[in-house]
Amino acid sequence: MILTFASIFLQFILATLLVLFLIVAGKAAISIVSRICGFAFGGIGDVIRMLAGAIAAVAMVPLILISVMFGRWDRVDYYAIGLRRGGRRLGRAAHSLCVRRPQRLLFLDGVQPGLVHEVPHVPDEGPTDMPSSKKAAGGTPSRGGVSFPGYEVVGTLPPGGSGARLYIASPDERTRASLAGAPPQVVIKSFDLVGGSSLPQIVRESRSLDAARSLGLVLDHRLDERSFWYAMPYHAGDHLGEVVRRAHQGGVDHDGLRGTALRDVLGFEIDLLETLDRYHGQGLWHKDVKPENIIVHDGVAHLVDFGLVTSLRSAMTLTTHGTEYFRDPEMVRMAMQGVKVHEVDGARFDVYGAGAVLYYMLENTFPGHGGLSRFGRPSPEALRWIVRRAMADYDRRYTTAAEMLGDLRFVAAQSDPWAVTPASLPSVAGGVDAESEDAIVDSVASVSSRTPRLRGRRPVATQSRPRLSVVNWWTGAYREDAGRGISTDLRSVISSAPVRETEGPGTASIGAGLFLLMVFTAAVVAFFVAQAWRYDSESLASVDLPATSLTWSWDANAWQLEDAGIGGLHGSTMPTPPPPGDLRGVISLNDHESLDPTEVDQFLDRIEESVVSVGWEPAGGEGLLGGISFQIEAIILAMLYKDGGRSGGPVTQRMIGQLEEKGVGALILVEEDGERDLSATLIRIDGETLFEWRQPAPLD
Amino acid sequence: MNPMTTTFVARLRDRDDTAWFELWTVFGPVIRNQLFRWGRGSVGAATVEDLTQDTLTALSKSIDRFDPTRGARFSTWLLAIAKHVLGDEMDRRHAIKRGRGRRPASLDEAYMGVSYGVTPDEVYERAIFQAKIYAAIRAAQKDSEFLHFEVYRMRVFEGRAGKEVATQLGMSEPTVSRHLRRVRDCIRSHVEDVVTLYSFTDEESAEVDSAGLAGGDDLFDEAICDIYVAHSRVVEDDERRLAER
């Protein structure tokens, strides 16, 4: 009985093992067949990809040589990128065919990661679009289809008025080590021509990049032919408006700020002024000081948003950018009169903003009357004085942020700010001696629990504003007289990119003397050929572009207001653009379908006068806005409409290529920015910005 | 019309930006406030802002045909056009409700005559006058030394005693009085200029006397303070509405 039972049990075990063996053997067989098939079919695919990559790369070589011969350097860049992509495709396919697939066939998949790690990392040049399910460059997951080499995108922030996208990102270890302060997280501001950003926006944001890097405001940046991004320190916290609202909610209604809350506010204002003082010392002007641009993190106020930062010595015309109530009305008047930035002291406009911010903190509302704004809540008389002095008329306010900072530090140093009289403030009493100054700093450092960062810190010496000489009025490049050059030239920005160098396309990698000689000969030939082709008798109206109709939907109010001449068109002097050099032909493009045609016409009329006066020839020879080029405007609008409203879209690019063939050397691109300001940029066909006009928005 | 006003109107006709900006800054809040009152809650802040722009647009078109010899008041000129713009907006809304299109109404320029039917109410007239005086205060602030104007602000607008002001600002009481007088004279001068500038008729120019601004120093300061506070409230309400938009 027992033997029978054991026999049955044994048979059961054997049967089970047999079934398991069959399952495993079947799986193994399937796996082997799968791998053999994968190797065969995948190999065929790899071979096809290799061939495609090789053909693409080989096809680009003669195109590059032809472009070099004709001196078409922009095309050389373009074809060089194609060559590089073809080569990459070829290399990847070859690697797959020769390494990855045999490994997989021989069950050596585990070796793959190790080998991959040995392959040198070639960073991409800009944000990479890819499906969100895939991994970003460097193995970091992307978010929203965007990745930045060396960074992992972990979140987004609401976009500002510039149209750029803001991401919170964590740098990988290598990148982090290369950044000043090794921050765990950064904010990346990204512009993408394909994603809707415009070239003038990118140019504007990149102008003061070098100086911003020296201030530690920008940690990293990257610029290529279609995108631009830069990384800034990330401060996780609420903006000042939110902090102030909570502070006022904490006390008795309409009783103002007292005790620690008042001390905190003083500390925030001191932080703000210290930052502004550093900006001004570096020759920069923040231009958008307001509570929303001040982030309070760990009890310290950080001024953020680099978008409107302008060189104090800029040759550009003042614009009305900024935020109402925190922007000096006098600046608006000056902008309407066409005053240049270097003709005024932009630092004083920041001082006005700082005064408005202090008013906001004390009153929990914005200063609607400018310097005449009333105080409705109790606050120390000395602080009211400081606010009014900062918001006084342009010629009568604090001349520097440091002067205002001195008064604030003095108030913060007193045990009872309410007892301080305006008469005792350093700016009124004639300053304080060095000993008292030390005492002030020590007192400020110890007066509040929120100010440990100030403990032991000496007052920041006010840096004398560097004397700058503009060395190139076209590009805005300038240098300090002391010899330390600060270049805002876009090209220098590109060349000063951080450690991860980008591959130089086209001629950059060509060093052989013989080839340079050939290039020189080709350039001479191209020059004469271009001279012969310059005057194309073909009408621009015959450019092969798709005909379409466009529905214009204008804002009636804005139209009428502009028609009335309130928008600031009249009275200001139009700046003089650079002469055409070897370009001559220019055409104007209207890049925004929402612009008022009357306004644009008037704006372009004046631009026409200024460009013609220095020797530019309107393309087509019939006037910049009349006849042909006006049709071109309409076509461009239609093109942009079809192209998803993107000035960098493929249709527009193709159109620009056609214009180039017609002998148009430069474009005047008219755009509207976030505040309805009109701007026009003179851009070479190859993308280099030559000049910029600006038209303030109507006052509404 | 006096030469100053003629010059100002000429600047408006020449589309001088700063002249329009001035007009916008000084009278924009009053026009918006008036449109709010007329709208009686049926017109939102955003629409009022648009209508105010339309009013200035209509003003700019009307200024070329403005005939000063027909005796219209400055305030009536502003009001008539604001009313025209609001009426036009209401017509448009009603036309939309009826599902029909609407042709824009032409501006009835009968307001240039003395007998035109638009009768500005007392609140509106007062607001326009206060806006003029407020503009004079602003101009005086711009022309005065910062310290001097602060003395006037503390003494008159905040009602502090001369001794307290002297202590706060570290000066003697006679100095306070001296600064006070200097700023007062400056304001008087600007009041005269501004009222002349924005008045089309002698009747408007005479409003200064009835507001107590032609009296002695104390009376003048009191009147200025009242106007400053009253117009500040108008502007603050206006700004609040715009901010909440």
Side-chain angles (χ1 to χ4, degrees), chain A residues 325 329-330 332-333 336-337 366 368-374 381 384-385 388-389 392-393 396 420-423 557 560-561 563-566 568-571 699-700, chain B residues 15 17-18 20-21 24 49-50 53-54 56-57 60-61 134 138 141-147 149-150 153-154 158 160 168-170 228-229 232-233 235-236 239 243:
Chain A
Y325 309 123
E330 189 61 28
V332 178
R333 287 194 190 89
M336 290 169 67
Q337 291 162 359
F366 51 84
H369 298 260
L372 276 177
S373 299
R374 295 187 305 163
E381 189 60 42
R384 292 182 174 195
W385 174 276
R388 287 169 183 152
R389 181 81 195 279
D393 201 51
R396 296 190 169 85
V420 181
T421 63
N557 296 320
Q560 288 172 20
L561 191 67
D563 195 30
I566 295 175
L569 276 170
H570 308 277
L699 297 160
D700 51 5
Chain B
R15 308 285 186 261
D17 292 333
T18 47
W20 282 103
F21 182 71
W24 173 268
E49 175 69 356
D50 291 343
Q53 290 186 7
D54 288 353
L56 283 180
T57 304
S60 72
K61 287 176 177 165
Y134 195 81
R138 269 194 189 281
Q141 184 199 22
K142 202 173 171 62
D143 277 0
S144 304
E145 286 298 321
F146 176 73
L147 181 65
F149 194 83
E150 283 307 296
R153 183 205 302 269
M154 293 169 81
E158 296 176 5
R160 309 223 193 155
Q168 284 287 336
L169 301 184
Y228 168 75
V229 172
S232 292
R233 289 201 185 110
V235 178
E236 280 161 14
E239 301 288 3

Side-chain angles (χ1 to χ4, degrees), chain A residues 143 146 148 153 155-157 165-169 186-188 190:
Chain A
R143 188 184 178 103
V146 174
F148 303 92
V153 176
T156 58
L157 292 171
R165 292 181 179 156
L166 294 170
Y167 301 95
I168 304 169
V186 297
V187 174
I188 292 180
S190 171

Side-chain angles (χ1 to χ4, degrees), chain B:
Chain B
M1 205 158 57
N2 62 73
M4 281 182 71
T5 314
T6 310
T7 308
F8 182 69
V9 170
R11 283 173 60 205
L12 293 178
R13 282 180 175 155
D14 289 346
R15 308 285 186 261
D16 181 338
D17 292 333
T18 47
W20 282 103
F21 182 71
E22 213 173 299
L23 198 67
W24 173 268
T25 309
V26 175
F27 298 107
V30 180
I31 295 173
R32 281 193 290 266
N33 195 41
Q34 187 64 30
L35 289 168
F36 258 114
R37 289 175 57 216
W38 276 336
R40 292 194 183 90
S42 63
V43 181
T47 310
V48 164
E49 175 69 356
D50 291 343
L51 292 178
T52 310
Q53 290 186 7
D54 288 353
T55 300
L56 283 180
T57 304
L59 275 176
S60 72
K61 287 176 177 165
S62 150
I63 193 77
D64 291 331
R65 298 184 298 281
F66 181 70
D67 181 2
T69 62
R70 294 171 63 180
R73 288 167 62 95
F74 177 82
S75 55
T76 312
W77 178 60
L78 282 177
L79 183 72
I81 291 171
K83 194 165 187 176
H84 158 74
V85 170
L86 182 67
D88 213 30
E89 169 68 12
M90 291 304 180
D91 286 350
R92 190 186 66 79
R93 289 187 181 187
H94 292 150
I96 289 171
K97 277 184 188 169
R98 291 195 300 270
R100 280 190 245 159
R102 182 203 65 111
R103 299 173 71 181
S106 60
L107 175 60
D108 176 9
E109 293 179 344
Y111 67 85
M112 290 186 209
V114 182
S115 60
Y116 181 58
V118 176
T119 50
D121 63 13
E122 193 186 341
V123 175
Y124 169 76
E125 288 287 15
R126 194 166 54 238
I128 287 286
F129 179 71
Q130 286 170 350
K132 294 177 189 176
I133 303 303
Y134 195 81
I137 296 172
R138 269 194 189 281
Q141 184 199 22
K142 202 173 171 62
D143 277 0
S144 304
E145 286 298 321
F146 176 73
L147 181 65
H148 300 172
F149 194 83
E150 283 307 296
V151 167
Y152 191 85
R153 183 205 302 269
M154 293 169 81
R155 187 77 181 83
V156 176
F157 296 160
E158 296 176 5
R160 309 223 193 155
K163 189 175 179 183
E164 186 189 352
V165 174
T167 308
Q168 284 287 336
L169 301 184
M171 57 182 67
S172 66
E173 286 190 64
T175 308
V176 168
S177 300
R178 208 166 47 249
H179 292 338
L180 201 61
R181 193 180 322 117
R182 192 174 285 136
V183 175
R184 186 186 298 121
D185 290 345
C186 187
I187 294 178
R188 274 189 201 278
S189 164
H190 279 291
V191 163
E192 193 176 328
D193 289 349
V194 169
V195 171
T196 308
L197 182 67
Y198 299 123
S199 297
F200 290 168
T201 63
D202 294 339
E203 184 192 353
E204 287 173 288
S205 304
E207 285 174 337
V208 172
D209 298 341
S210 57
L213 293 169
D217 290 349
D218 290 345
L219 201 59
F220 179 84
D221 288 345
E222 196 178 328
I224 287 288
C225 180
D226 288 346
I227 290 170
Y228 168 75
V229 172
H231 192 69
S232 292
R233 289 201 185 110
V234 171
V235 178
E236 280 161 14
D237 289 346
D238 178 56
E239 301 288 3
R240 192 165 44 248
R241 277 194 293 259
L242 290 177
E244 287 167 0
R245 189 175 52 160

Side-chain angles (χ1 to χ4, degrees), chain A residues 181-193:
Chain A
Q185 287 190 325
V186 297
V187 174
I188 292 180
K189 190 169 188 178
S190 171
F191 297 84
D192 193 340
L193 285 175

